Amino acid sequence: MNTAISDPLLSDRRQKIIHLNTALCRIFEIRYPIFLAGMAGGPGTVGLTAAVSNAGGLGTLGAAYMEPEAIRTAIRDIRKLTNAPFGVNLFVTRAQDDNSRTPEVQQELNVMRAKFGIPNVVAEEVKTPDHFEQQFAVLLEEKVPVISTAFGVLPPHMTEQAKAAGIRIVTMVTTVDEAILAEQAGCDAIVAQGSEAGGHRGTFDIANRPMGANIGTMALVPQIVAHVQVPVIAAGGIMDGRGLVAALVLGAQGVQMGTRFLTSIESGAHIAYQHKLLASTEESTVITKVFSGRPARGITNEFIKVWDQSGVEPLPFPTQNTATRDIRNAAAQQNNSDYMSLWAGQGLRMLTAGQSAGSIIQETIDQAQTILTQIKKG
């Protein structure tokens, strides 16, 4: 006799969960349709990645700036903390530096360096390591469950290798045309990144869109859903169960959240960064290229204001990112958020301090289930 659902309350709870068990969950073998955004540069730690996966979502390690062997170590450390699926995010771009205007840019940066006692940098060329192929090779060798990409799709030979290894591929897009290209390239799911999203814009080609494609999440998601067959994951301004339900209603199969986890216990975001996040509002962010050379949404601060007033055009990515790193690192060491890159989305009033990633996931799911139940009751 099957008595597994003898408790009416348990039965009711399981029935609610079914509403959130989307095709995305089945494809990626996760309990809840929530992905952690791959936050490179420190905020997305091994602990945060594992915590989100352990809580039923898909944790994602932002590995774009990591050395290949550091990625290998991180993957193995994640596996010590969770048996659940997780992903690793890379930037699909080659580190080809453009030093045509380096002297002009370094002169402006030297003014900022003086504030931190950093020696002036003369006009030598900026050299950014190009690790993309080696990074990808590590993901193959370690057989990570999921590879997610920003700034474009994997080259065909890499997609074939990943598929042959049983690895799922997720691609971030900012337009319908990019979504169609991503599906044609063989991705298993698409992240529709609305303009509200924090961090770098996933726009494939910024030559024609210098500040990235910035279509709101509400408008972008249903249009992408109408043009592709693979599951769509909504991203941008989603901070809780209300955002999850809204995304599902728009046709998405799940959501990706990054900013929501920046002030979690497991976050690697600098404490000064976290304080700034908690003190900011939906009006505090701007899209800027001054830190990295690619458009990204973050909290406006003195670095951005000073640079904008200079009238100097940032170097292209990744050259600007490499050139500004010493200033950003010094600012972090001196707890000075005015000269750090404070990537953040627009849902800042919904942040909470000191909450675990697991608690955030469960709170989001509980709220979504409550809303769906209320809708069902009419």
Side-chain angles (χ1 to χ4, degrees):
M1 180 181 295
N2 184 357
T3 58
I5 311 181
S6 58
D7 184 339
L9 291 178
L10 180 60
S11 176
D12 182 58
R13 179 171 176 77
R14 287 181 177 173
Q15 186 63 37
K16 291 177 185 177
I17 290 174
I18 290 173
H19 291 301
L20 297 173
N21 187 239
T22 66
L24 186 78
C25 298
R26 297 186 285 277
I27 292 170
F28 289 87
E29 299 180 347
I30 55 179
R31 193 157 68 252
Y32 301 132
I34 299 175
F35 280 37
L36 171 67
M39 297 181 288
T45 63
V46 162
L48 178 57
T49 302
V52 170
S53 289
N54 281 331
L58 186 89
T60 307
L61 178 72
Y65 300 129
M66 296 174 67
E67 297 281 339
E69 287 308 307
I71 296 175
R72 190 188 308 278
T73 298
I75 291 169
R76 294 179 178 181
D77 287 345
I78 291 169
R79 285 190 163 125
K80 292 175 184 176
L81 298 174
T82 185
N83 293 318
F86 63 92
V88 178
N89 177 264
L90 297 179
F91 293 163
V92 182
T93 181
R94 304 308 299 263
Q96 297 175 335
D97 286 308
D98 180 347
N99 285 285
S100 59
R101 295 184 298 100
T102 297
E104 176 188 26
V105 168
Q106 292 291 18
Q107 183 177 354
E108 185 62 31
L109 291 175
N110 283 337
V111 176
M112 299 187 191
R113 291 185 176 107
K115 298 176 183 293
F116 295 96
I118 304 172
N120 282 357
V121 174
V122 293
E124 70 260 19
E125 291 187 347
V126 174
K127 296 181 180 179
T128 305
D130 186 357
H131 294 315
F132 177 62
E133 290 187 0
Q134 293 89 340
Q135 289 173 328
F136 178 79
V138 168
L139 304 193
L140 278 184
E141 291 162 9
E142 295 297 320
K143 294 183 171 61
V144 298
V146 179
I147 295 175
S148 70
T149 68
F151 307 163
V153 298
L154 290 172
H157 72 282
M158 289 185 174
T159 297
E160 291 174 7
Q161 290 174 315
K163 295 282 188 179
I167 298 172
R168 299 291 189 186
I169 301 171
V170 179
T171 303
M172 293 177 60
V173 307
T174 58
T175 69
V176 171
D177 286 345
E178 289 173 355
I180 293 170
L181 287 173
E183 182 176 45
Q184 291 173 344
C187 72
D188 296 286
I190 290 167
V191 176
Q193 185 194 36
S195 60
E196 301 93 327
H200 283 97
R201 308 299 303 138
T203 303
F204 290 9
D205 179 11
I206 62 169
N208 294 322
R209 301 183 186 90
M211 297 308 290
N214 292 294
I215 302 157
T217 306
M218 182 75 75
L220 182 64
V221 170
Q223 294 187 81
I224 288 180
V225 168
H227 285 83
V228 300
Q229 299 301 312
V230 297
V232 174
I233 303 158
I238 298 168
M239 304 285 283
D240 58 18
R242 293 170 296 180
L244 172 55
V245 172
L248 296 178
V249 171
L250 292 174
Q253 294 287 321
V255 297
Q256 177 171 284
M257 299 194 296
T259 302
R260 184 66 181 85
F261 293 98
L262 285 173
T263 55
S264 67
I265 292 172
E266 299 88 351
S267 170
H270 192 286
I271 190 63
Y273 181 1
Q274 295 193 41
H275 286 162
K276 194 71 174 177
L277 286 163
L278 292 165
S280 297
T281 74
E282 73 283 357
E283 297 183 79
S284 301
T285 68
V286 295
I287 295 177
T288 182
K289 295 167 69 174
V290 304
F291 290 109
S292 72
R294 277 194 74 104
R297 182 178 293 283
I299 298 170
T300 190
N301 59 7
E302 197 65 19
F303 189 115
I304 296 172
K305 293 174 184 176
V306 169
W307 191 280
D308 287 347
Q309 289 169 2
S310 75
V312 176
E313 180 69 18
L315 296 169
F317 181 90
T319 315
Q320 181 79 4
N321 188 70
T322 303
T324 62
R325 183 173 291 127
D326 59 344
I327 298 170
R328 291 180 281 118
N329 288 345
Q333 291 170 5
Q334 297 183 31
N335 298 316
N336 187 339
S337 62
D338 269 330
Y339 287 83
M340 297 163 61
S341 51
L342 308 173
W343 304 137
Q346 291 183 313
L348 292 170
R349 291 184 195 265
M350 291 180 273
L351 281 172
T352 56
Q355 194 172 3
S356 71
S359 173
I360 291 170
I361 293 284
Q362 195 58 57
E363 182 181 275
T364 300
I365 293 300
D366 288 346
Q367 186 181 33
Q369 289 170 351
T370 298
I371 293 168
L372 289 170
T373 300
Q374 292 171 343
I375 292 172
K376 187 176 180 179
K377 289 180 178 178

